[in-house]
Amino acid sequence: MRSSSSAVPFDPPRPSRARGSFDSLMEAAGDVVFRVASSGEIRQASRRAQRLIGASFPLEGRLLTSIASEFDQAALRTAFVDVQAAAEPVLVRTRLRCSHNGGERETWFELRIAACGDEDDSDDAFLVVGRDMSTQYATEERLRHMATHDALTELPNRLLLADRIRMVVANARRSGQGFAVAIVGLDGFRKVNDGLGHPIGDAVLRQAGIRLRKTLRDSDTLARVGGDEFVAVLPGTASAAQIKLVTGRLLATLQSPFEVDGHTIYLGASVGVAVYPQHAEDDNSLLALADAALSRAKESGKGRAIVWSARDQGPPQHDISLEAAMFNAVREGEFLLYYQPIVDARTRCIEGFETLMRWNHPTLGMVPPARFIPIAETNGLITLLGAWALKAACAQIRHFEEAAGRDLYISVNISPRQFRNDKFLDVLDEALAFSGTPGDKLVLEITEGTLMVDPLHAETILTRMAERRARIAIDDFGTGYSSLAYLKRFPISVLKVDRAFVKDLPGAQKEAAICSAVLDMARHLDLSVVAEGVETEEQLAWLESRDCRYIQGYLTGKPMPAHVALAALKDNPTAPAPSAPRGGRR
């Protein structure tokens, strides 16, 4: 607070005993407490208030609004009016001018203003009790900063970036002026982490962020979205010439070597650009297209900037959009299970079902598994989807058996990433326990390639799966690269002959020879065989003549929703409990 050089330090008078009791209550009530007259003058201030405000003269007789920030004085006066009108306490947040390190600082307080009586014949009209909010506000501000900024570089993170892009989009719609989003990826950054360690890599990223920020205007936004990628939002930059100028500067600033702890590191960068509104009109799409352009820049030699175009990019852009939609699909419950019958080749009686995952997108319709399964395998979403499918399938088999009035089994595909997950056996146990399904009603389909990545690990996991009485099927048998010796070593029960060997039967001699060899080998190893992709009566007749007991394909049933499968079971003739693929070794 302002003070005169001739001011005498304030020494408050000693209160009477009754007044002292009230003073004690004032000290305990809050960080600052005032008794205020109807005119707004302070009649009494707590000693803590006097210390916090830091005045060398008494606060009594001054207007309370005079020690508030000029920006909050109107709100404070309104609060007093509201208390008088409603006769109820009012909360108002305001900044009070407080002493700080010999100077003055505005500190946030939450003031509770209440009407008070006329005790002691005073004209006190209000009791104001304040709580210092500075620590809470500082904590909230720190948490907001942590939530919206990258911890390593202090640049905005993806959350704040999306908000900034939406703001620029709104401004661009009003002004009719386009803008660009550029993603900058360091070239060869992995060699820094691998060769020199992550602390050196982190220092390089911090330096890169500083360089890029200096290259841009104050009106531009620079964010770090993870790894070695930075995103620049460039309002007003939309023409080819403008983009070339800016991206040239971005590339140039990263070509200079980085000096870190005695190491001289040369990297360089690539840039991908998307432009509003030519390419997209929302933050997610702009980022996806810029990322696709960045991938194109790296694939075509690095050290260059590429602006996205539908002609050059093609399918990768669609895959990126599809990946973004997949996470939303999980939240919205767009994934579902279909069931394809596995039947006895002689009786055409349904023996079991293979569980197949489907994605019913609200605008694309049914997305083929060949499009979304590889993406889910890459981004790790397949682990979550696989666990859900396993649990749902184990629960569904109980309903199928009730409808059929006989024993059946359910077959579930296990992805490579799911199989290698440390928690896979826990997921399996949870699915069996949740559904109450015995393990021998479950067949787990695993591809040859999955088993061959780490045979020792595979043998351990397969053995533990077999201990739970679950049977193991080798899916797409013959298309991988496994050694036949592993058929003896692993606890395999079923071989599934891939449709590639079935589709040209019975006319194709090579395919016929391969199928005959697989069937003969399986017979000698006591393994069951399921032929996939059977679509014609001729294929079925040929397989049955070679003692292939089980088939699966469009001829005997397409993949179908659970309610259609239940209806098919009710129409299917009753048959004795299947002997296979329950047969075979464990």
Side-chain angles (χ1 to χ4, degrees):
M1 292 299 301
R2 300 182 185 90
S3 61
S4 169
S5 59
S6 60
V8 178
F10 172 61
D11 184 16
R14 183 175 300 173
S16 65
R17 182 173 300 176
R19 200 65 172 176
S21 176
F22 185 77
D23 286 350
S24 298
L25 290 175
M26 288 183 68
E27 297 305 323
D31 295 316
V32 294
V33 181
F34 306 96
R35 289 172 65 94
V36 180
S38 57
S39 63
E41 290 184 0
I42 300 172
R43 291 304 185 199
Q44 185 179 0
S46 66
R47 291 191 296 276
R48 294 178 68 189
Q50 184 74 46
R51 287 196 301 270
L52 281 170
I53 302 304
S56 57
F57 46 82
L59 295 174
E60 282 80 352
R62 303 193 64 191
L63 291 174
L64 181 61
T65 52
S66 70
I67 62 172
S69 167
E70 60 179 307
F71 300 105
D72 301 327
Q73 290 175 5
L76 188 55
R77 283 192 290 266
T78 300
F80 282 117
V81 173
D82 290 343
V83 171
Q84 289 178 317
E88 290 184 356
V90 170
L91 285 177
V92 60
R93 292 191 175 184
T94 185
R95 285 159 289 189
L96 300 181
R97 299 188 181 113
C98 296
S99 174
H100 180 71
N101 293 333
E104 186 178 273
R105 180 180 68 179
E106 292 184 345
T107 302
W108 278 104
F109 284 85
E110 182 180 71
L111 303 180
R112 184 179 188 274
I113 305 175
C116 60
D118 295 327
E119 58 189 44
D120 299 331
D121 295 325
S122 71
D123 69 342
D124 294 357
F126 306 102
L127 180 66
V128 181
V129 179
R131 181 163 62 101
D132 185 348
M133 302 292 290
S134 56
T135 301
Q136 179 177 328
Y137 278 21
T139 300
E140 291 175 355
E141 179 59 31
R142 186 166 60 253
L143 291 175
R144 277 194 296 270
H145 184 84
M146 291 172 62
T148 57
H149 288 76
D150 172 53
L152 179 63
T153 63
E154 291 296 315
L155 293 171
N157 61 13
R158 187 178 292 274
L159 180 66
L160 182 55
L161 172 67
D163 185 63
R164 295 277 179 87
I165 295 177
R166 286 192 287 267
M167 290 175 59
V168 177
V169 167
N171 291 333
R173 285 173 178 165
R174 288 192 296 269
S175 66
Q177 191 177 39
F179 69 92
V181 173
I183 300 184
V184 183
L186 300 182
D187 293 336
F189 177 73
R190 184 175 179 178
K191 69 184 181 184
V192 179
N193 279 340
D194 292 347
L196 300 176
H198 288 275
I200 300 295
D202 289 347
V204 169
L205 291 173
R206 282 191 290 268
Q207 288 188 26
I210 292 170
R211 291 187 190 181
L212 292 170
R213 179 64 267 179
K214 289 180 177 178
T215 302
L216 300 174
R217 304 165 299 179
D218 291 341
S219 59
D220 299 329
T221 294
L222 179 68
R224 178 174 177 247
V225 293
D228 60 2
E229 292 186 358
F230 299 83
V231 177
V233 184
L234 311 167
T237 302
S239 69
Q242 291 172 324
I243 292 171
K244 183 177 181 180
L245 177 63
V246 175
T247 56
R249 290 173 177 171
L250 294 173
L251 292 172
T253 196
L254 296 176
Q255 286 178 347
S256 300
F258 294 85
E259 301 289 344
V260 181
D261 289 351
H263 300 284
T264 301
I265 303 165
Y266 292 86
L267 290 176
S270 300
V271 181
V273 181
V275 181
Y276 171 95
Q278 293 94 315
H279 300 150
E281 298 186 13
D282 65 272
D283 56 311
N284 286 331
S285 298
L286 285 166
L287 288 170
L289 298 182
D291 193 49
L294 174 63
S295 297
R296 177 72 173 169
K298 287 183 175 290
E299 291 168 0
S300 57
K302 302 180 180 179
R304 59 186 304 193
I306 287 184
V307 179
W308 185 87
S309 73
R311 182 184 67 256
D312 294 338
Q313 300 299 327
Q317 174 267 331
H318 196 76
D319 288 343
I320 294 171
S321 301
L322 203 65
E323 180 175 21
M326 284 182 66
F327 288 92
N328 184 66
V330 173
R331 293 191 296 269
E332 298 299 326
E334 295 172 11
F335 288 99
L336 60 156
L337 296 181
Y338 271 40
Y339 302 88
Q340 185 170 29
I342 299 172
V343 306
D344 188 303
R346 292 169 295 182
T347 65
R348 304 202 184 191
C349 176
I350 296 174
E351 302 280 356
F353 290 91
E354 179 181 355
T355 303
L356 301 167
M357 194 175 299
R358 295 292 184 263
W359 177 11
N360 188 12
H361 191 279
T363 57
L364 298 177
M366 284 294 185
V367 182
R371 287 183 61 192
F372 71 82
I373 292 294
I375 298 175
E377 186 74 28
T378 300
N379 64 25
L381 195 58
I382 194 67
T383 302
L384 174 64
L385 291 173
W388 163 73
L390 185 58
K391 183 180 291 187
C394 287
Q396 186 62 49
I397 188 62
R398 306 292 294 272
H399 299 294
F400 286 159
E401 289 186 326
E402 290 174 4
R406 55 190 172 86
D407 288 338
L408 297 166
Y409 72 92
I410 198 82
S411 188
V412 181
N413 291 280
I414 304 300
S415 78
R417 189 160 185 161
Q418 190 180 5
F419 183 75
R420 293 192 297 268
N421 191 289
D422 293 339
K423 300 294 183 181
F424 172 67
L425 291 174
D426 294 335
V427 171
L428 175 59
D429 289 337
E430 184 180 348
L432 294 174
F434 171 80
S435 62
T437 301
D440 59 3
K441 294 184 182 295
L442 182 63
V443 173
L444 301 174
E445 298 189 16
I446 303 167
T447 62
E448 292 178 80
T450 301
L451 300 179
M452 294 303 104
V453 170
D454 186 349
L456 290 177
H457 172 264
E459 183 175 18
T460 300
I461 298 301
L462 293 177
T463 300
R464 292 181 180 176
M465 290 162 62
E467 289 172 354
R468 291 156 171 81
R469 296 193 298 162
R471 283 160 295 129
I472 295 97
I474 301 298
D475 194 17
D476 301 335
F477 184 76
T479 62
Y481 50 88
S482 65
S483 166
L484 294 179
Y486 286 113
L487 292 179
K488 177 181 178 181
R489 176 177 172 181
F490 293 155
I492 306 299
S493 298
V494 184
L495 300 181
K496 299 196 74 173
V497 179
D498 187 72
R499 64 187 67 248
F501 302 117
V502 174
K503 66 184 182 68
D504 294 325
L505 293 177
Q509 294 184 352
K510 292 183 179 179
E511 285 79 356
I514 292 172
C515 287
S516 295
V518 171
L519 289 166
D520 288 342
M521 178 182 63
R523 191 179 305 111
H524 286 92
L525 293 175
D526 192 24
L527 301 174
S528 297
V529 177
V530 178
E532 297 182 294
V534 178
E535 298 182 357
T536 68
E537 292 289 347
E538 290 77 15
Q539 291 169 347
L540 173 60
W542 188 92
L543 289 164
E544 183 184 353
S545 69
R546 267 59 173 189
D547 293 327
C548 179
R549 181 73 182 276
Y550 302 101
I551 64 167
Q552 178 181 348
Y554 280 14
L555 178 65
T556 52
K558 296 181 179 181
M560 58 191 76
H563 70 278
V564 178
L566 287 168
L569 283 170
K570 293 176 181 177
D571 295 339
N572 203 256
T574 304
S579 58
R582 296 176 185 276
R585 297 180 288 106
R586 289 190 176 85

